[in-house]
Amino acid sequence: MTHFCTPPGMGRRSFLRVAGRSSAVVAAGATVPWLTACGTNAAGGDGGAKGRFAVKLAWIPNAEYAGIFVADEDGLYKKRGLNVDVLPGGPNSAVVPMVTTNRVDLGVEAIPENVATAVARGAKLKIVGAGLLKSPESWISLADRPVRNPKEIEGKKLGITLAGKNTALVFMKRNGVDVGKVRLVPIQFDPAPLAAREVDAIWGFASNQPVSLALRGVQTHVMPLADFGFNRMQSVFFASQKTLDDPAARERARTFMTASRLGWEAALRDQRHAADVIVKGYGAKLGLKLDEQARSLAAIAPYVSGGAGSARLFWMSDALIKETITSLTSIGIKLDESLFTNELLEG
């Protein structure tokens, strides 16, 4: 049975205020009151030898982690002898320190640069799988005024978050956009300025703001950065070198990754079931709604599979690793191929 900790006193309004935000808020260091620490038998604890396994998420329980929840609900962990503890995340709930200090067996970090930065500072970590094989970062415009390609950005007023500004500027320059012809307007993650037509497009995530707007009856056009030469894996699974060097701990991590991949395959096959699992498991405390989660899962599904039905989930191909390194290097992050390993996905 998987155990979850949820934020106390989290009502529907407060949940919706943060749930639509990208987990890049974590990287931006936003300060939002969140959850208290959750008890768990983590890596290296006395529960490890008994099949106990702890994983720390970057964000709150939602469709972004559907495969993990389905794997638990369908007994895929239990069948393989794992008793999984899932620790939710949030803006003030960092993942990297929990993995670095072996308080959890595995972490799921929203963006790979958070792991790469820790490694550059001396942490012994490896990225062991990619939950999103394609980045959902996108320019989002209104369906009746679509921005279809980078050159159409010129002459537009663009809503940009603090966390996304550097990446957005690099993307525009790499695609030959004259930044001097673009007006950047600071916004938060709320897509209201786009709905109000105060801006022509906003920086966001294909699985977040377009879903939120669709639920309000506002149709959008999504232009993923990955379609124009700026892709990097996201929602990455990572482990400490200590875990990978310990045969028993590595085997538990391999088992978790196998069951989670099967859980994602099941979630993609039956998205309604997956949404139902999420809502029934967390709806009472987080205000999750079936339609919201179903739409979010449908929106994120192509990014989980990388847009190719034959792609092996979580697998970090040489091409994807190269794309990730190229994209991160362009925004000033130091990393190389040694950060990535498929050893928990082989076989």
Side-chain angles (χ1 to χ4, degrees):
M1 177 64 182
T2 302
H3 306 283
F4 300 89
C5 302
T6 52
M10 178 60 72
R12 173 166 174 75
R13 178 170 297 183
S14 55
F15 166 75
L16 289 176
R17 188 169 59 246
V18 297
R21 300 177 184 174
S22 159
S23 46
V25 176
V26 178
T31 54
V32 178
W34 199 244
L35 57 108
T36 56
C38 307
T40 179
N41 286 319
D46 57 9
K50 301 175 184 178
R52 204 75 182 219
F53 192 90
V55 60
K56 179 74 170 71
L57 307 181
W59 202 239
I60 60 175
N62 59 38
E64 184 178 353
Y65 309 108
I68 293 175
F69 305 144
V70 170
D72 175 57
E73 177 69 16
D74 292 356
L76 299 179
Y77 297 129
K78 186 176 181 180
K79 290 176 184 176
R80 290 162 177 77
L82 283 189
N83 191 357
V84 177
D85 289 318
V86 178
L87 282 67
N92 295 323
S93 183
V95 185
V96 169
M98 296 285 284
V99 178
T100 302
T101 57
N102 294 289
R103 284 179 283 172
V104 296
D105 299 275
L106 209 69
V108 183
E109 184 56 273
I111 47 180
E113 47 263 51
N114 289 350
V115 183
T117 298
V119 169
R121 293 173 179 170
K124 297 184 182 302
L125 305 169
K126 295 276 190 180
I127 292 177
V128 298
L132 299 179
L133 299 176
K134 179 180 177 180
S135 171
E137 289 175 289
S138 305
W139 286 109
I140 302 157
S141 53
L142 295 175
D144 61 356
R145 297 194 305 182
V147 176
R148 299 184 181 89
N149 60 66
K151 289 299 289 183
E152 290 185 3
I153 290 174
E154 293 183 355
K156 299 293 194 300
K157 183 188 297 185
L158 306 176
I160 186 71
T161 63
L162 178 62
K165 184 176 180 180
N166 184 39
T167 302
L169 290 172
V170 170
F171 169 78
M172 286 189 280
K173 291 176 181 177
R174 286 181 59 179
N175 280 278
V177 176
D178 185 346
V179 179
K181 296 181 179 179
V182 176
R183 181 181 174 187
L184 298 179
V185 179
I187 63 170
Q188 300 300 317
F189 285 88
D190 189 338
L194 180 63
R197 298 177 182 266
E198 296 171 359
V199 294
D200 298 298
I202 59 172
W203 173 270
F205 294 78
S207 55
N208 287 347
Q209 291 91 339
V211 173
S212 175
L213 289 172
L215 289 168
R216 304 180 202 174
V218 179
Q219 300 306 309
T220 58
H221 176 81
V222 177
M223 185 183 82
L225 274 63
D227 290 349
F228 296 93
F230 196 93
N231 187 41
R232 67 193 194 278
M233 63 182 77
Q234 295 197 14
S235 195
V236 295
F237 295 86
F238 70 106
S240 69
Q241 191 61 53
K242 180 179 179 180
T243 292
L244 297 176
D245 289 342
D246 182 309
R250 184 176 65 248
E251 188 55 33
R252 287 193 297 273
R254 184 196 303 276
T255 300
F256 173 82
M257 294 296 289
T258 297
S260 297
R261 188 180 69 245
L262 293 173
W264 260 113
E265 290 174 354
L268 295 178
R269 282 195 307 269
D270 190 347
Q271 295 183 22
R272 200 66 179 180
H273 167 63
D276 191 59
V277 167
I278 296 167
V279 170
K280 288 183 177 178
Y282 320 102
K285 292 186 178 180
L286 292 182
L288 303 181
K289 297 297 182 183
L290 185 61
D291 187 37
E292 294 170 347
Q293 294 306 302
R295 286 173 181 253
S296 293
L297 181 53
I300 205 170
Y303 300 90
V304 175
S305 65
S310 60
R312 184 178 179 185
L313 301 187
F314 300 174
W315 185 263
M316 300 175 292
S317 67
D318 292 343
L320 178 58
I321 291 173
K322 183 177 180 180
E323 287 177 343
T324 299
I325 292 173
T326 299
S327 295
L328 294 188
T329 299
S330 71
I331 58 174
I333 305 297
K334 295 181 179 180
L335 74 163
D336 58 38
E337 292 87 350
S338 66
L339 178 62
F340 310 90
T341 176
N342 284 310
E343 65 185 278
L344 299 184
L345 304 174
E346 295 170 342

